[in-house]
């Protein structure tokens, strides 16, 4: 596995998720009632829509490689799976058979300083990770740098927790239930308290779309899933 230095301000995030890596997939499925699988598939379909130029794919914030594997099952392109958290990537290695292992290349790297030349990938995905890369405009600018003109960026992310949803039940779940389930299953609630906090602080979907445009993406659109709990954004490198 390739590895690059991780800047200090991302080490805390990497450390938190490294501690829960062994239970990460189980908690994702449990906390989303299994909907996370369909959300990721929708993102992959958006990325691989007709018109994508030739070349490899970047899966940023690749975690335990679920998105990389979903891409590999729908396309024969090579995939760079980048994440700041090495234990998460290592937890995903057991999912790779020989064929997938030849095409998916896990790399420890920071999303603001990607180990890629300019215009070197046909497209990129980032699932539930853009919240964790700060400042966000730096990450979006770096993605715009490495994606080829006409290439596509697909972002899957939670909607803002600032919006009152389901009569406030969802907001109560974020603040009170999610961290407790995270602690019960993983034995460590810090990562899930952090998750709830970053969802609560995240801007509205229109703001993220505008940030993508400012970074150099055109034809940016988004759609809500699960009533606005999650949004799928997509844009084309201008």
């Amino acid at each position: 596995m390739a590895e690059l230095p991780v800047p200090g301000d991302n080490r805390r995030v990497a450390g938190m998720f490294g501690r829960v890596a062994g239970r990460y997939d189980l908690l994702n499925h449990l906390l989303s009632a299994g909907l996370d699988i369909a959300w990721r598939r929708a993102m992959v379909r958006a990325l691989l829509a007709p018109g994508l130029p030739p070349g490899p794919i970047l899966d940023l914030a690749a975690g335990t490689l679920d998105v990389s594997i979903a891409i590999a099952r729908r396309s024969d392109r090579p995939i760079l799976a980048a994440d700041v958290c090495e234990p998460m990537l290592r937890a995903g290695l057991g999912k790779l058979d020989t064929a997938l292992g030849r095409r998916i290349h896990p790399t420890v790297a920071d999303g603001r300083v990607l180990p890629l030349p300019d215009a070197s990938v046909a497209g990129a995905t980032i699932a539930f990770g853009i919240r964790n890369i700060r400042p966000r405009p730096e990450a979006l600018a770096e993605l715009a740098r490495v994606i080829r003109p006409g290439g596509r960026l697909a972002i899957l992310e939670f909607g803002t927790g600032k919006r009152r949803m389901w009569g406030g039940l969802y907001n109560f779940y974020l603040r009170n239930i999610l961290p407790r389930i995270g602690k019960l299953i993983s034995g460590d609630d810090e990562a899930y308290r952090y998750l709830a906090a970053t969802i609560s602080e995240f801007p509205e979907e229109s703001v993220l779309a505008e940030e993508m445009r400012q970074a150099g993406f055109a034809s940016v659109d988004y759609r809500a899933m699960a009533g606005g709990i999650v949004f799928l954004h997509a844009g084309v490198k201008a």
Side-chain angles (χ1 to χ4, degrees):
M1 182 186 301
E3 183 171 358
L4 294 175
V6 175
D9 53 348
N10 269 339
R11 287 178 189 158
R12 176 173 171 258
V13 175
M16 280 191 298
F17 286 98
R19 293 195 300 271
V20 301
R23 297 283 184 169
Y24 183 76
D25 288 343
L26 171 62
L27 277 162
N28 274 350
H29 303 332
L30 178 65
L31 294 170
S32 70
L35 291 173
D36 62 302
I37 298 170
W39 295 336
R40 287 181 174 86
R41 287 175 179 167
M43 180 180 66
V44 171
R45 287 195 299 271
L47 176 76
L48 298 177
L52 190 69
I57 300 295
L58 167 66
D59 176 22
L60 183 57
T64 58
L65 305 181
D66 280 355
V67 172
S68 295
I69 291 169
I71 296 169
R73 287 175 174 162
R74 293 179 62 93
S75 170
D76 60 1
R77 299 168 185 259
I79 300 154
L80 177 68
D83 201 292
V84 296
C85 182
E86 182 178 354
M88 293 281 281
L89 293 173
R90 291 199 178 280
L93 291 178
K95 303 175 184 179
L96 304 183
D97 58 24
T98 302
L100 288 173
R102 283 196 294 263
R103 294 168 48 216
I104 297 174
H105 308 284
T107 302
V108 179
D110 186 278
R112 298 166 301 174
V113 191
L114 293 168
L116 291 167
D118 294 355
S120 57
V121 298
T125 58
I126 178 166
F128 305 114
I130 196 67
R131 298 183 331 279
N132 300 326
I133 308 177
R134 301 180 185 184
R136 204 167 41 251
E138 288 187 15
L140 293 170
E142 183 71 344
L143 286 163
R145 179 185 70 80
V146 302
I147 295 174
R148 294 173 178 169
R152 195 172 292 126
L153 170 64
I155 300 176
L156 187 64
E157 191 51 86
F158 291 107
T160 179
K162 297 174 184 176
R163 183 187 295 118
R164 184 177 171 85
M165 292 184 60
W166 299 356
L169 286 175
Y170 176 65
N171 310 76
F172 179 83
Y173 170 81
L174 274 182
R175 292 191 302 268
N176 299 283
I177 307 301
L178 185 148
R180 293 180 183 180
I181 296 175
K183 183 175 182 179
L184 179 66
I185 302 297
S186 70
D188 187 332
D189 68 343
E190 184 185 10
Y192 291 90
R193 290 193 181 281
Y194 172 84
L195 170 63
T198 54
I199 294 171
S200 295
E201 296 165 3
F202 201 66
E204 292 189 358
E205 57 280 1
S206 60
V207 174
L208 179 58
E210 181 58 27
E211 289 176 350
M212 291 174 66
R213 295 185 190 102
Q214 291 294 325
F217 293 94
S219 304
V220 177
D221 60 14
Y222 55 84
R223 64 184 176 97
M225 295 186 284
I229 289 176
V230 169
F231 280 85
L232 173 61
H233 286 69
V236 175
K237 170 69 178 295

